[in-house]
Amino acid sequence: MKRFFSILTLLIALPGVVFASGGHQPELEKANNSLADKDSLQRGAVLFSNYCMACHSVKYMRYNRIARDIGWDDDTVVAKMSKGTARVVDNVETRMMPGVGQQVLGKTPPDLSLMARLRGTDYIYSFLRGFELDETTGEWDNKLLQGTSMPHVLENMQRHFKPEDYVQSTRDIANFLEYVGEPAKLQRYDLGWKVLAFLFLLIILTYLLKKEYWRDVKH
Ligand code: HEC
């Protein structure tokens, strides 16, 4: 029995040890985003199209799915995200020609469909906000991915937006990418509340039933 418990303890402690050994990483800022905020998702989709799709795709998503999930109709999604050049059934591809990323930036920009799942929403938020001007070289670098080949594409936004609007815009983009990483989360959240409400009702009913059963029993 004692051995059983020590193995159990080990199993419970193991993930902590594995995660803790992940090397030194700068602190991530919290995105504080909300998938329930449809306006934020819509703003995020437009920002993603304007600032990111020149290089990145989210090719596991189709335009019509995005429209349905974030509250647009079919015409709106292609107008807002592709300036009318894509069809609603198309996957969300980058506008960059194949090979150009490698040639110009030295690296092909990755597809971002699963990036939020891979690295987390806070990482994306912090990565976007992590560009710092290197005083010696006069070039931008990113504190989360040093020597990155991604340019600081939000430089103008950072310079000209009010700080709180800049925060909100980067949060909207991270929010949109979290949604893209797991579209079913939106429905799951919806369903979650219903399940909880149902269970709560069930508790009350069960309690009343118990009282009813034991009413005439002396105890
Ligand atoms: C000019 C092209 C370009 C644009 C525009 C661009 N990116 Fe990138 N991005 C890249 C490249 C190239 C990489 C690969 C960087 C590397 O591995 O060094 C990258 C990598 C990334 C990564 C992965 C970072 C990691 O840790 O591996 C994320 C997340 C990302 N981009 C988000 C965005 C978002 C969000 C936008 C829009 C606001 C955007 N990018 C706009 C070129 C671009």
Side-chain angles (χ1 to χ4, degrees), residues 36 85 132 136 150:
T85 58
E132 292 169 335
T136 45
M150 173 163 149

Side-chain angles (χ1 to χ4, degrees), residues 51-52 55-56 105 107 109-110 112 115 119 123 127-128 145 148-151 153-154 173 177:
Y51 289 95
C52 317
C55 298
H56 293 284
L105 303 165
K107 193 148 188 180
L112 296 183
M115 194 54 81
R119 303 237 201 277
Y123 176 86
F127 175 66
L128 290 178
L145 193 66
T148 181
S149 34
M150 173 163 149
V153 293
L154 301 181
I173 297 172
L177 285 176

Side-chain angles (χ1 to χ4, degrees), residues 19 110-121 123-124 177 181:
F19 280 119
D111 178 75
L112 296 183
S113 307
L114 296 173
M115 194 54 81
R117 301 266 300 265
L118 187 70
R119 303 237 201 277
T121 313
Y123 176 86
I124 292 183
L177 285 176

Side-chain angles (χ1 to χ4, degrees), residues 31-54:
N32 289 325
N33 61 312
S34 159
L35 289 177
D37 186 349
K38 289 260 159 81
D39 289 337
S40 161
L41 290 175
Q42 292 183 359
R43 285 193 305 267
V46 173
L47 289 168
F48 182 77
S49 165
N50 288 344
Y51 289 95
C52 317
M53 272 168 66

